[in-house]
């Protein structure tokens, strides 16, 4: 893959304005990696003008505007020069009942506002045990892939995040992750070969400084989506460096 590796920090519901400012001062990004940080909505504006990191949102409304109390639209994110947006994170699917249909609408909203959607997919422990991993991932991708080719050829990203690996310390082995990434690439190629080449596929789920290099070496892993370990700027810098060498 000719693009720079993409490494995204997902802060979830953590941090303050001052901790984010301190984080940015202590984060040391290698030049050949695209580093993105996704803080909570109120802090996105603080990332404007940062030199070493781009900004990403953890979520977005599927609606453009209207009576939707508590929602934040893609247009509002665009106003803050947000460049990436997570959609379909497993915590949103499980805790906030987000469906595949809803998630696709969110991705479309981001694309209309020139924000790169990061579509998160991944199986639960039960689905893996029942050998349903590929089936689940194909289903999670399929609605999005029904969009017109000119939309699919825009920039978007897939993050493979096995639910059993998120926040558990139990990362997928590099081989297991790469097998699923290769499958995702195959599903994309069946739709459009150019798209399959250009879409970056990130791995997420207990990525740490000590397992990042082995994941980065795998042929189908183009970057990482990092939760817990991204809160420490030194750890996140190390993870970015592991992908920089890949
Ligand atoms: P984790 O989270 O790195 O803490 O496992 C990853 C994620 O939820 O994106």
């Amino acid at each position: 893959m000719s693009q720079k590796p993409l490494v995204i920090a997902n802060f979830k519901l953590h941090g303050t304005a001052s901790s984010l400012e301190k984080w940015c001062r202590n984060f040391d990004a290698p030049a050949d990696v695209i580093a993105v940080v996704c803080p909570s909505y109120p802090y996105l504006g603080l990332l404007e003008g940062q030199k070493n990191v781009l900004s990403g949102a953890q979520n977005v409304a599927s609606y453009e505007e209207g009576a939707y109390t508590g929602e934040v639209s893609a247009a509002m994110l665009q106003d803050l020069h947000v460049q990436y947006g997570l959609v379909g994170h497993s915590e949103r699917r499980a805790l906030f009942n987000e469906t595949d249909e809803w998630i696709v609408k969110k991705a479309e909203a981001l694309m209309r506002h020139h924000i790169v959607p990061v579509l998160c997919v991944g199986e639960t422990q039960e689905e893996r045990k029942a050998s349903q991993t590929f089936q689940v991932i194909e289903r999670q991708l399929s609605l999005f892939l029904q969009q017109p080719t000119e939309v699919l050829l825009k920039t978007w990203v897939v993050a493979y995040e096995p639910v059993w690996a998120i926040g558990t310390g139990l990362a997928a082995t590099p081989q297991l992750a790469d097998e699923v990434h290769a499958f995702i690439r195959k599903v994309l190629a069946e739709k459009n070969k150019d798209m399959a080449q250009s879409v970056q596929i990130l791995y997420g789920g207990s990525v740490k400084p000590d397992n990042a290099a082995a994941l980065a070496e795998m042929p189908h892993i183009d970057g990482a989506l990092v939760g817990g370990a991204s809160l420490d700027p030194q750890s996140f810098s190390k993870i970015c460096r592991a992908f920089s060498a890949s």
Side-chain angles (χ1 to χ4, degrees), residues 126-235:
E126 294 69 41
E127 289 162 344
R128 174 157 284 271
K129 280 200 188 126
S131 306
Q132 290 169 349
T133 299
F134 290 165
Q135 203 182 317
V136 167
I137 285 167
E138 196 160 14
R139 192 206 73 223
Q140 290 172 335
L141 288 169
S142 65
L143 258 191
F144 187 77
L145 293 177
Q146 282 172 23
Q147 296 182 97
T149 311
E150 66 266 22
V151 174
L152 296 176
L153 286 172
K154 290 183 180 174
T155 308
W156 62 287
V157 173
V158 178
Y160 169 55
E161 297 208 300
V163 179
W164 45 270
I166 296 178
T168 58
L170 277 179
T173 62
Q175 292 70 21
L176 187 149
D178 199 59
E179 187 193 353
V180 179
H181 283 227
F183 172 76
I184 293 171
R185 188 90 67 206
K186 183 175 107 350
V187 172
L188 301 183
E190 280 162 12
K191 185 77 190 174
N192 185 296
K193 290 210 163 50
D194 292 337
M195 174 184 67
Q197 284 309 306
S198 66
V199 171
Q200 289 186 292
I201 308 176
L202 316 183
Y203 169 76
S206 298
V207 177
K208 302 269 180 310
D210 60 2
N211 62 15
L215 289 161
E217 264 175 27
M218 304 311 287
H220 297 283
I221 299 183
D222 307 318
L225 177 52
V226 189
S230 71
L231 293 170
D232 171 25
Q234 266 93 25
S235 296

Side-chain angles (χ1 to χ4, degrees), residues 34-85:
I34 298 174
V36 178
V37 60
C38 304
S40 293
Y41 287 138
Y43 306 133
L44 281 165
L46 299 176
L47 294 168
E48 273 193 73
Q50 283 296 331
K51 289 195 184 57
N52 53 1
V53 73
L54 302 179
S55 63
Q58 297 176 20
N59 187 23
V60 65
S62 55
Y63 315 102
E64 284 295 322
E65 62 177 351
Y68 302 108
T69 302
E71 290 288 271
V72 172
S73 72
M76 294 167 183
L77 297 177
Q78 186 182 19
D79 258 352
L80 294 173
H81 304 113
V82 169
Q83 287 113 322
Y84 289 82

Side-chain angles (χ1 to χ4, degrees), residues 23-37:
W23 189 96
C24 289
R25 278 200 304 280
N26 289 300
F27 172 60
D28 181 21
D32 57 351
V33 167
I34 298 174
V36 178
V37 60

